[in-house]
Amino acid sequence: MAEVSEKPQKKEKEPDITFFHPDLLSTPEDGSPAFLKGYRCKSCGQLDFPKLSPCPNCWGEDFEMVPLSRKGKLYSYADIYIGQPGLETPYIVGYVDLPENLRIFAMLDGQVETFKCEEEMELTVGPIRKNQDGLPIMSYKFKKALPQSA
């Protein structure tokens, strides 16, 4: 009787995660937290998100990437019950004010009718919609920041 050797079975490769506009968001491979990419004009110092080229202040075209703060305050929001195709409803969108004097538009991660203006928010990464193959497209979102423990 011949001995049958068991070959390890190859695992099917999981589908690649698709990130929406990788020039907006960095997800470091070393496991450190994701951050939004601001762009500072090297000529006049104006900081923008997303990158605006040429600089709307001085028309400069040389920029440096600046990691933006991961926390901010909710300026305004809207619960969306009838949305775009490909977006599961209901969902929430809002503006978050960062300490760098930037106001960021983003989807909010949480339940409708639970947000309040001036709440502390924190950057997170998650699916925002599905692509044509039904796979999630990942991007930045904001969620309520956990209270600081004293």
Side-chain angles (χ1 to χ4, degrees):
M1 183 171 186
E3 197 171 303
V4 178
S5 64
E6 288 187 32
K7 292 183 182 178
Q9 293 186 3
K10 291 183 181 178
K11 285 185 175 181
E12 273 190 44
K13 184 180 174 191
E14 291 187 29
D16 290 333
I17 295 175
T18 302
F19 279 94
F20 182 74
H21 292 291
D23 57 325
L24 301 179
L25 174 70
S26 179
T27 53
E29 291 183 15
D30 66 2
S32 55
F35 60 88
L36 294 176
K37 296 177 178 181
Y39 292 90
R40 184 177 312 282
C41 176
K42 288 186 177 180
S43 296
C44 71
Q46 179 165 314
L47 181 63
D48 289 303
F49 176 86
K51 181 179 179 182
L52 302 174
S53 186
C55 173
N57 187 51
C58 72
W59 298 93
E61 294 192 24
D62 196 12
F63 300 89
E64 66 177 326
M65 191 281 294
V66 176
L68 298 178
S69 299
R70 295 182 36 76
K71 292 190 177 183
K73 284 195 176 188
L74 185 60
Y75 173 75
S76 67
Y77 67 94
D79 295 332
I80 309 295
Y81 292 92
I82 300 172
Q84 299 176 0
L87 292 175
E88 188 176 317
T89 55
Y91 60 93
I92 309 112
V93 295
Y95 285 97
V96 176
D97 287 340
L98 297 184
E100 293 88 351
N101 198 29
L102 291 172
R103 184 167 285 160
I104 308 294
F105 182 75
M107 289 183 82
L108 304 182
D109 196 7
Q111 301 296 315
V112 294
E113 300 181 17
T114 63
F115 287 92
K116 293 182 178 133
C117 292
E118 296 297 315
E119 283 185 301
E120 292 290 326
M121 304 298 288
E122 181 176 17
L123 181 73
T124 188
V125 176
I128 57 168
R129 64 181 176 88
K130 294 187 178 182
N131 68 12
Q132 62 191 15
D133 298 323
L135 298 172
I137 294 178
M138 306 294 281
S139 189
Y140 66 92
K141 295 178 167 186
F142 281 89
K143 64 179 183 178
K144 291 181 183 185
L146 297 175
Q148 298 281 335
S149 55

